[in-house]
Amino acid sequence: MMDNLNFDEPIGSVAVSPRDNSLLLVKALGTHTLQLTLDIHVPKAPEAGRVLVLETSLQAPHGNGMPIALAASNATLALRPDQRTDHKFTYTLTNAQLRALEENRSGDLRLEITVRAVLPQAAAGLHPGSTDIRLYLTVAESSWKRQLEGLGPSLAVEMSVPFPAADEPRREAVQYLLSAQSRLRGAPDIDGALLDVRRTLEYIRENSGWAPALLQEAVRAVHEGGALGRDVQGAGEAGQWRPAQGRRHQGVHLHP
């Protein structure tokens, strides 16, 4: 069943619907993407012009409140009157967003997409924008779990470690992280990468004056080759350092 994006008469409506089983989770560098194909049936009225712009917003239902926005994806399509076409929309998601989806999922994965359309070449005197519609997507739990498993170690944990922004020697910690990342390219040197991560954490502990229990546990876990340390193997695909703003500190982000 297709939903209609309604325009002023005599244009009529653009019908859209998500294609069955087209939602695909794809691993990318440092992020992941959800790909979804929408089937589109455009009006035959010449007043519509020759260009159709579709604006979509991916959302996740959250309890009994308003859906939470995840990502947006837009497309500009050539308008072929009274024809059916399709387009693959891509939504970029972070590890944190995927983990949040999992934490809030109960059974099948449910998502929502808000869609609106614009006809920038619509005839004079006609409003170029459409009404909004909301599409509802359901992905079977078994299918979603298979797709998550396909991400492998690139879907792991993220830890933010506060570190003084004005301390120039922080570069030493960054170099350790870059070394760990390089060790995981090609033939991975897991033990060497773990050693560099441990050096990073120990350097922060010894030089920042900030050593809470979480940091102590992280150092010990990496030292012992525990689960937290072994998860760092995903850093070869998604590891990076970037500054994180805070009241008193920036942060070193470890993205295993």
Side-chain angles (χ1 to χ4, degrees), residues 33 51 67 124 130 158 165 193 248 251:
T33 61
V51 177
S130 73
E158 175 181 307
R248 299 175 56 190

Side-chain angles (χ1 to χ4, degrees), residues 194-251:
L194 288 172
L195 178 60
D196 284 330
V197 171
R198 190 183 74 184
R199 286 172 174 167
T200 303
L201 296 172
E202 289 178 342
Y203 183 86
I204 294 171
R205 182 184 62 186
E206 295 168 4
N207 293 274
S208 69
W210 183 86
L214 175 61
L215 182 58
Q216 303 288 0
E217 292 175 5
V219 173
R220 184 170 58 254
V222 175
H223 178 71
E224 296 174 354
L228 177 60
R230 287 298 171 185
D231 278 345
V232 77
Q233 61 185 305
E237 298 169 1
Q240 57 181 303
W241 173 88
R242 67 170 186 266
Q245 300 299 325
R247 291 184 180 179
R248 299 175 56 190
H249 299 87
Q250 286 187 330

